[in-house]
Amino acid sequence: MSDNDVSIPGTPSSAPTHGSAPSPGPTDSAEVVVVGAGLSGLVAATELTAAGRRVILLDQEPAASLGGQAWWSFGGLFLVDSPEQRRLGVKDSPDLAFDDWLGSANFAPGAAEGQGPDRWGYAWAQGFVDFAAGDLRPWLHAKGVRWFPLVQWAERGGYPAGGHGNSVPRFHVTWGTGPGILEPFVRAALDARAAGLLDVRFRHRVTGLVVTDGAVTGVRAEVLADDPVGRGVPSVRDVVGEVELSASAVVVASGGIGANHDLVRSHWPASAGVLPARMLSGVPDSTDGLMLGVARDAGAALVHEDRMWHYPEGIANHSPVWTDHGIRILPGPSSLWVDAHGHRLPSPLFPGFDALGSLQHVTGRADDHSWFVLNKAIMDSEFALSGSEQNPDLTGRSVRLLAQRVLPGAVGPVARFAAESPEFVWGQTPTELAAGMNALTAATPGSQGHIDAAELERLVRLRDEQVRSGLGKDHQVVATAMARKFFVDRVIRVSPPRPLTTPQDGPLLAVRLSVLTRKTLGGLHTDTEGRVLHPDGSVFEGLYAAGEAAGFGGGGVHGHRALEGTFLGGCLFSGRTVGRALARSL
């Protein structure tokens, strides 16, 4: 199996009969039906087959898209007190991590006492932090997963103790990124299929749950026409058949709503402003939320639907795969962040500190974009791009390519965006930069905003004076200087503090940032075993949920905000929890 190959070879994608020798012929029943062949669905299915249970795994996309959004991810995992942290001198603990989690989640009162709307999310959060500090790393390590040794400091927060953000670096990038995490579970799926325990059926879109005497006993699905498109490419929705499958239990692992912009807008809280008409998608078109509606129609409870984790730092992909395909910039802390009219975002909304807070600042102003203002040297040192395909060195496990990250100049994918993307605006002076920024805004239908050249020059001058002082009172300048005390930031993530107008660091650069939809923090309400609940809190017998469809556990393990690295980890933890709990109960 190659570094990027997480497919199941030889699996038909449209016919209702699947599997190959020595598997027995397909049937219309199994002990469990798992809906969704992303990371959480694969983990749940392979945990069940490891216990000897027979599973049918369904997905509406072709076989090429096995693994779902996880394949496209950077592969970052939130680990606590890991060997990688300790080698870097990072002092972490489960207590510190849980305090950080609570400061970010802002759970409703009573959650810690097992009461209120966040009771199950709180319980899942406790379990996840214990998992991140305990079983997660050795469990994956035993499956062959390894990590880049330089732990990253994502989502720094910048608030007082007890507020949002990671107190220490915890973002562990997988060697092989998202495909590297998927690989052992795809291998387990292949083994289970060969043993006759797993029947994988692509191009099956579930349209209903079969409920018998109050319990879920199967699914109804449309069989979609075969479509040999590549991974992530939108596929046709022509229906060529229907099937009903029976099972003792059904697991919903179908993901969130990020590609359904109408649904995202309808759930976005009014208190957080207005999402713009022009948004980018950080997930393929298949992340449409349809299965959540199917479960609701059958009687399942959905909670915290207004909690989402989108990003304000999106740029349009120069080589799009799916509709409105966007890429997130992973910035270091040195760039100035200004809104559509050139006003600096307030402290601590600095690059890499509070993504959701920055997004809500932008939407609260009803802007459709914001800007990073920096120079070429900062871009070269601090810009990275999220996603497996934007990090060929880590995804391809190439030490030769990885070595280029410590050499002068931007890494290849960043350099390509800088050369090809119209959203990278260059200028020798703030006045020239402002003219280019305004020209880009004017050329975008429906976009509003204007940068005053004199005000931008003043903003840059004031920032540069703070840097030249060697100390300074500017919170971002102080935070950037502190970041360089951490070895990893000093070596590969944070540029040496110099004025933006330093001639050898030029030219100046402004990058237009758009809203990038990504994660759904709410979802199907579940207990600590992943059993879906009815609106009255009773258990919906036979129905389970994992991954993003369940708010990564409990209908909202993250509360209102997330700590980066907890999405893939949440899929792993909830998929494993559901698979093992269900295997015990059957």
Side-chain angles (χ1 to χ4, degrees), residues 231-235 258-261 279-286 316-317 319-327 516-517:
R231 180 183 294 278
V233 176
S235 60
N260 190 334
H261 288 187
M279 296 195 296
L280 302 173
S281 286
V283 292
D285 294 50
S286 56
N317 193 342
S319 303
V321 177
W322 54 78
T323 305
D324 298 320
H325 189 171
I327 300 295
L516 179 74
T517 61

Side-chain angles (χ1 to χ4, degrees), residues 286-339:
S286 56
T287 310
D288 52 23
L290 293 179
M291 191 62 206
L292 297 178
V294 169
R296 188 207 301 271
D297 291 345
L302 286 168
V303 293
H304 308 313
E305 293 179 88
D306 61 344
R307 298 182 187 176
M308 296 172 243
W309 187 260
H310 307 308
Y311 292 109
E313 315 103 323
I315 51 176
N317 193 342
H318 53 70
S319 303
V321 177
W322 54 78
T323 305
D324 298 320
H325 189 171
I327 300 295
R328 184 193 178 200
I329 293 177
L330 302 175
S334 299
S335 301
L336 287 173
W337 201 338
V338 302
D339 63 31

Side-chain angles (χ1 to χ4, degrees), residues 223-249:
V223 181
L224 303 179
D226 192 18
D227 189 359
V229 296
R231 180 183 294 278
V233 176
S235 60
V236 300
R237 289 294 183 259
D238 299 336
V239 177
V240 297
E242 295 181 346
V243 65
E244 183 170 312
L245 306 172
S246 63
S248 299

